[in-house]
Amino acid sequence: MHTQTLLHQVLQMPHIYLFMRELEESLAKEQEARAKYYELMDAHKRVEFINGEITTPFFDSEKHNLVIQQLGKLLQNFLDKHPVGTLFVSNAHVFLTRNTYIPDICFFSAEKAKHFTPKQEKFPAPDLVIEVLSRFSERIDKMIKFADYEAHRISEYWIVDADRGFVEQYHFEKYEYEMILKTNHGLLKSFAINGFEVPIEAIFDSELNKKTLEKN
């Protein structure tokens, strides 16, 4: 739901002030949970903060991990030859206005990355986010993160299904994400990383992944 649509609905509520009071109380409690989240983050715990709750990302299968590694290699191989930005694989805390995520893979343009410091732990909205689905993350990746990334106008979002070998690619256009493709074959071309394209099968097939890396 777009922000303006939601705002219009709230403004039509006759009990809007009671609603706002309850909302403020809930958000105050959420800040207490966020303070605890900061403590865990300072202790180098791998945790996310999603809608007021502290959660731990799950890597529930070897295939899930393998796909992250293989896609990360394809992207980094391109960036080593074309340094147009910085890539993080499962190790960047992305702070949005309410929630904090650790994307499986995220990319920042050189313009954004030039402001980063070696010990930086908190990062802004990336230009590209990639989430690889797991049994535990599918609802979050497809609903909560999708809506949040869209609301913060993150240029590009890929949802990768390691079990089915499918990729969904979204590109932010005007006010919302437009689906560019949802397929298990063909070329995947990035909007955020100019010039990067890869056979979708090379994300999932280890032998094709190696051949693609050698070729490029």
Side-chain angles (χ1 to χ4, degrees), residues 46 55-61 64-65 104 132 134 136-137:
R46 195 173 184 280
T55 66
T56 302
F58 287 95
F59 295 108
D60 67 335
S61 72
H64 178 269
N65 290 335
D104 289 324
V132 179
S134 71
F136 305 99
S137 73

Side-chain angles (χ1 to χ4, degrees), residues 41-42 44 88 91 93 115-123:
M41 184 178 166
D42 289 341
H44 304 290
F88 290 88
N91 62 347
H93 287 82
H115 301 290
F116 296 167
T117 62
K119 294 184 178 181
Q120 184 162 331
E121 295 183 346
K122 301 177 182 179
F123 293 89

